[in-house]
Amino acid sequence: MADGKLILTAEEMLLIWEKALEVLKRNLTPAAFKTWIEPVVPGAERNSLVLFCPNTFCLDWLESRYKFIILKTVQSIEPSIEEIVLREEGQVNDHKRQLVLKVDEDLYDLMKQVYEKEKNNSIGRTFEEYFTQMLQSVCQERMDAG
């Protein structure tokens, strides 16, 4: 809690976004959903849902036509969400941004087990820091190879 308010985790924000997608898919035309909603990548900053748009045109379109309906949809699922923030994918504020990644539960459990075994060798790191470092390493390897 910060300032007496519950702060949603990135994982909670992903679940809310997945529920919102179901509602938006039912309420928008298939073409509108596929063109404007499906390409965005969710993120979290405190109690704001951040939507990273693939380009400026998409960002402007969402801002002018869909931001209000997206906000009302996510607030109907979780009233503590304060706002929708739209950003172009290249606009990153690294120290505040949390990308929401959906991680397979089996992978998460395996990583947790490895962390527990390696905990003695990684003094001072939380599981979250360890997990993030491992994901970054794998992503960097794939980008370097790709």
Side-chain angles (χ1 to χ4, degrees):
M1 277 200 192
D3 304 327
K5 293 182 182 179
L6 174 69
I7 300 297
L8 298 168
T9 66
E11 202 170 77
E12 291 168 327
M13 199 66 84
L14 176 60
L15 292 173
I16 293 163
W17 177 243
E18 287 178 353
K19 290 177 184 176
L21 284 175
E22 293 172 18
V23 173
L24 291 166
K25 192 171 191 172
R26 287 193 307 265
N27 293 322
L28 299 173
T29 66
F33 181 82
K34 186 167 183 64
T35 303
W36 306 113
I37 307 298
E38 209 170 74
V40 301
V41 176
E45 283 182 8
R46 299 185 57 87
N47 276 7
S48 296
L49 174 64
V50 181
L51 298 178
F52 292 92
C53 305
N55 55 53
T56 304
F57 185 76
C58 179
L59 186 149
D60 292 342
W61 195 269
L62 286 176
E63 181 77 44
S64 64
R65 290 175 176 81
Y66 294 107
K67 185 176 178 180
F68 182 76
I69 191 168
I70 293 170
L71 178 61
K72 292 304 168 198
T73 301
V74 296
Q75 285 178 334
S76 72
I77 297 163
E78 178 52 62
S80 67
I81 294 179
E82 297 167 356
E83 67 177 322
I84 301 295
V85 176
L86 299 172
R87 295 215 174 106
E88 197 170 340
E89 282 180 354
Q91 298 175 334
V92 178
N93 187 350
D94 287 330
H95 70 281
K96 288 187 176 179
R97 175 178 162 197
Q98 290 182 358
L99 259 186
V100 178
L101 298 175
K102 187 171 186 175
V103 176
D104 180 70
E105 286 183 41
D106 292 335
L107 172 61
Y108 182 86
D109 292 341
L110 177 62
M111 291 296 295
K112 188 77 169 176
Q113 291 172 8
V114 170
Y115 172 78
E116 291 299 325
K117 288 181 181 176
E118 296 289 326
K119 194 174 2 181
N120 295 335
N121 297 329
S122 58
I123 297 172
R125 288 194 302 176
T126 65
F127 174 69
E128 184 176 280
E129 291 167 337
Y130 173 80
F131 191 75
T132 300
Q133 181 183 4
M134 295 304 293
L135 285 176
Q136 287 172 337
S137 297
V138 169
C139 290
Q140 189 62 51
E141 286 174 13
R142 294 222 174 155
M143 287 179 5
D144 292 344

